Amino acid sequence: MTTNETTAAPARLDYARTAPKVFRAMIALDAAAREGLDPALVELVQMRTSQLNNCAYCLDMHVKDARKACETDERIYLLPVWQEAPAGVYSERERAALALAEEITRIGTGVPDAVYARAAAHFAEAELAQLISVCFTINAWNRINIATRKTPGTL
């Protein structure tokens, strides 16, 4: 192996087997967070958040899920640069959701009022609560899978 080559580190533990009560609670939280939201929107948010967090496992899973749900290659490929994508690739509602997801993921000093107001303009209050829930749930999944080095393509 040359100095430029890298190998994936082995998984550390099977989280579902080792912490089954927490894992089942996360599954239930994930399902509850998605309720009432467009599944395509949920997948976009989950893919973008996983990109930002460098979670290969979740990104792999959600790209596959998005493709099964007939998401277009164009929308998947342009997601890292959604703000620069041509008009019509992502709806204003999706753009508002992606902006909110990015701010929640990079929480730093909080979610700017303008980003929150943009999302609130496109989502009813209950939907906005669900969207925020999807954002914190995928961030939690990303952290679990990164910490345990979950291998993309495995269950």
Side-chain angles (χ1 to χ4, degrees):
M1 178 167 34
T2 67
T3 55
N4 290 337
E5 292 180 36
T6 59
T7 58
R12 293 181 170 151
L13 61 85
D14 180 344
Y15 190 81
R17 183 183 53 78
T18 309
K21 287 175 81 173
V22 178
F23 184 79
R24 285 192 303 273
M26 283 293 299
I27 294 289
L29 177 63
D30 187 81
R34 295 166 177 258
E35 285 182 12
L37 291 176
D38 173 23
L41 176 75
V42 171
E43 292 303 332
L44 287 173
V45 166
Q46 291 178 322
M47 286 187 291
R48 184 62 186 135
T49 300
S50 298
Q51 290 169 346
L52 294 171
N53 286 328
N54 297 314
C55 184
Y57 179 84
C58 290
L59 182 57
D60 176 68
M61 179 176 66
H62 292 294
V63 166
K64 288 174 182 173
D65 289 348
R67 283 202 166 114
K68 285 178 194 171
C70 298
E71 186 59 83
T72 67
D73 286 344
E74 178 183 37
R75 285 166 46 93
I76 292 171
Y77 297 152
L78 289 175
L79 192 56
V81 292
W82 66 267
Q83 293 173 329
E84 309 304 323
V89 173
Y90 303 103
S91 70
E92 286 306 312
R93 181 176 164 93
E94 290 168 334
R95 288 174 179 274
L98 290 167
L100 182 65
E102 287 187 0
E103 293 298 334
I104 290 172
T105 300
R106 298 176 174 143
I107 200 72
T109 59
V111 175
D113 290 339
V115 171
Y116 187 88
R118 180 180 182 189
H122 290 279
F123 293 88
E125 192 171 68
E127 290 177 310
L128 187 55
Q130 293 301 120
L131 178 59
I132 291 167
S133 299
V134 165
C135 293
F136 70 69
T137 303
I138 189 58
N139 273 285
W141 278 123
N142 288 167
R143 283 150 178 76
I144 290 167
N145 291 320
I146 290 167
T148 61
R149 291 188 181 148
K150 186 84 169 155
T151 304
T154 63
L155 294 177

